[in-house]
Amino acid sequence: MGSLDGDAATSPSFSSTGSSGDGNGGGGGGGRVGIYACFALGGSNSLECYEPGANTWRRVGELPGVPDGHVLKGFAVVALGDFVYVIGGRLCRRERGGGGEYRDTDVDVRGDVVRYDARRGEWGRCAPLLVPRFDFACAPCGGRICVAGGQRSLSGARGTAAAEVFDADKGGWSRLPDMSTRRYKCVGVTWHGRFHVVGGFAESTSSSSPAAAAADEAAAAPPGRATALLLLLPQSSALERSSAEVFDCARGVWEIIPGMWQLDVPPNQIVAVAGRLLSSGDCLNSWKGHVEVYDGELNIWSIMDHSAMPDMPLLAALPPSAQRRYHTMAVVGNQLYFLAGYQVAAGGEGDGDGDGGFRTVSLVHSFDTSANPGLMPPWRSFQPTMDQDGVEDGSKELFSQCCSVQL
């Protein structure tokens, strides 16, 4: 759910500096905080970091282990302690066409796990996933990292029910009980100490379901016939897609919550803030203009009070032809930080019909979930200072959600 206050400039300039509001992103607590996300810049993946306290955006470096001319998609980025973990994913070969557009070809499903030490600035390798996967649910829970669901194969759109947990102290992964549904494009979040796997494209693991029968037939068929059968698997039911599975770490069992995500489209991102679950969009529309909050007793989502984003000067100063390229959110204390990128003409103004190409303008919006609107506006907006390596062009793509680390 891979999106504000201040004075608009008379002649807006989208240089790499400037901010809206008080000019300081605010840390949401003591010490430095870094918000990390992975992007594709042309033919490579890179990890980038936004620091709210300094309102700076810098490029950390390329992801290790990704071959030249390839990009990684569908992986998870999650923080645990001082580390940012990059887990699993789908490796794609990237080629540039005659018109300048990129064409990606699936190559492999990865189980690789690497982590970045945010304090020491060093990369390291970790034990790989037991089940390589992409487009899966992932979240830290009880000092460990839980993953569940996702796709295991590039052939056919079918999820897995497999789940596992990473223990950093032991340096390895352990299997968890399977979920009752196979899911992919699902979202993971820890709430009240339990790992929630929400929404996604899902189907029951029951042996009596049509999907399970078709899968069994595909398993016994020759390779060509098996691929055709997998492509013809029945679509997941609305009941399964709208449900969530919850893993109770203390009891080691899964429970299902029917109707927790009531849209037919999978969620984009769900975060927990001060005991509440919040969302800002789905896979088709990562930003709906407001924040939604989940009511566990009524099992419904509703628009959070005062969360509709007002007309922000920095957004109003963008050219009319500007298009949002990415949007993701991270939690820092009671604050939601939204990292957003907008494609504009390379000159910063105009409609982009010239030969100057395009570039990406990165903005950051923050929403204080605990603010009293009568005393202080809950929304602020910033244009971060980019480091020398952070020059952006129109090809910048967000390939992960973001996470925050206390530096």
Side-chain angles (χ1 to χ4, degrees):
M1 344 204 52
S3 176
L4 288 42
D5 201 78
D7 297 327
T10 305
S11 297
S13 173
F14 296 102
S15 63
S16 62
T17 61
S19 66
S20 175
D22 61 9
N24 188 326
R32 291 169 54 212
V33 174
I35 298 174
Y36 292 84
C38 287
F39 295 84
L41 299 171
S44 65
N45 290 98
S46 68
L47 181 68
E48 301 188 10
C49 175
Y50 171 70
E51 291 193 30
N55 192 34
T56 57
W57 193 308
R58 60 185 171 87
R59 186 169 181 262
V60 173
E62 294 187 3
L63 294 187
V66 180
D68 291 341
H70 292 70
V71 293
L72 195 62
K73 299 182 176 181
F75 54 94
V77 173
V78 63
L80 187 67
D82 296 338
F83 297 95
V84 177
Y85 290 79
V86 179
I87 303 171
R90 172 170 54 104
L91 185 66
C92 303
R93 182 173 59 253
R94 170 161 285 195
E95 299 172 308
R96 196 157 197 167
E101 75 286 352
Y102 289 107
R103 293 195 299 266
D104 296 336
T105 304
D106 291 341
V107 174
D108 193 20
V109 180
R110 306 253 292 197
D112 300 49
V113 179
V114 296
R115 70 180 188 181
Y116 176 73
D117 188 326
R119 290 188 180 274
R120 302 178 65 179
E122 298 175 351
W123 286 97
R125 293 191 177 277
C126 301
L129 289 165
L130 300 176
V131 177
R133 64 185 83 204
F134 65 96
D135 288 344
F136 55 93
C138 179
C141 184
R144 300 186 294 174
I145 298 174
C146 293
V147 305
Q151 291 183 257
R152 302 173 59 173
S153 170
L154 298 174
S155 301
R158 190 168 194 236
T160 178
E164 53 192 287
V165 60
F166 178 78
D167 189 318
D169 293 333
K170 296 180 179 179
W173 295 86
S174 302
R175 293 192 66 91
L176 294 177
D178 286 357
M179 298 183 291
S180 66
T181 50
R182 300 179 181 93
R183 297 175 184 266
Y184 69 98
K185 287 285 187 184
C186 42
V187 166
V189 62
T190 296
W191 188 43
H192 297 318
R194 303 198 300 170
F195 176 49
H196 290 62
V197 180
V198 185
F201 298 108
E203 65 183 68
S204 173
T205 59
S206 169
S207 59
S208 61
S209 71
D216 290 341
E217 183 182 354
R225 171 67 174 162
T227 299
L229 287 169
L230 288 172
L231 292 174
L232 293 174
L233 281 174
Q235 295 295 312
S236 58
S237 72
L239 178 63
E240 292 160 345
R241 287 194 300 272
S242 66
S243 67
E245 295 221 31
V246 182
F247 185 70
D248 189 314
C249 298
R251 295 191 295 133
V253 296
W254 289 96
E255 300 174 0
I256 196 160
I257 303 178
M260 184 174 179
W261 182 259
Q262 295 160 355
L263 295 179
D264 204 33
V265 180
N268 182 59
Q269 195 175 3
I270 298 174
V271 296
V273 183
R276 296 179 292 182
L277 288 183
L278 306 179
S279 172
S280 65
D282 53 49
C283 283
L284 292 181
N285 185 7
S286 60
W287 173 240
K288 295 185 175 181
H290 57 260
V291 176
E292 295 184 350
V293 59
Y294 176 69
D295 186 320
E297 293 186 3
L298 298 179
N299 197 28
I300 61 172
W301 291 85
S302 58
I303 298 176
M304 188 175 182
D305 290 343
H306 314 295
S307 71
M309 188 176 69
D311 294 330
M312 303 306 297
L314 281 178
L315 288 177
L318 291 170
S321 59
Q323 297 182 5
R324 189 177 69 241
R325 289 189 61 84
Y326 62 83
H327 184 278
T328 182
M329 64 177 172
V331 178
V332 180
N334 289 322
Q335 301 268 354
L336 287 179
Y337 280 89
F338 297 87
L339 309 188
Y342 304 87
Q343 180 178 281
V344 301
E349 298 190 48
D351 57 12
D353 292 335
D355 297 327
F358 295 92
R359 68 190 188 92
T360 303
V361 173
S362 294
L363 300 179
V364 178
H365 313 304
S366 70
F367 174 67
D368 188 345
T369 63
S370 63
N372 183 337
L375 300 177
M376 178 181 295
W379 284 100
R380 295 187 296 166
S381 184
F382 317 95
Q383 188 166 5
T385 300
M386 311 297 291
D387 71 3
Q388 196 63 29
D389 293 330
V391 177
E392 301 169 304
D393 61 25
S395 65
K396 184 172 181 178
E397 303 168 77
L398 177 71
F399 275 171
S400 78
Q401 303 299 356
C402 59
C403 63
S404 59
V405 176
Q406 190 80 29
L407 301 175

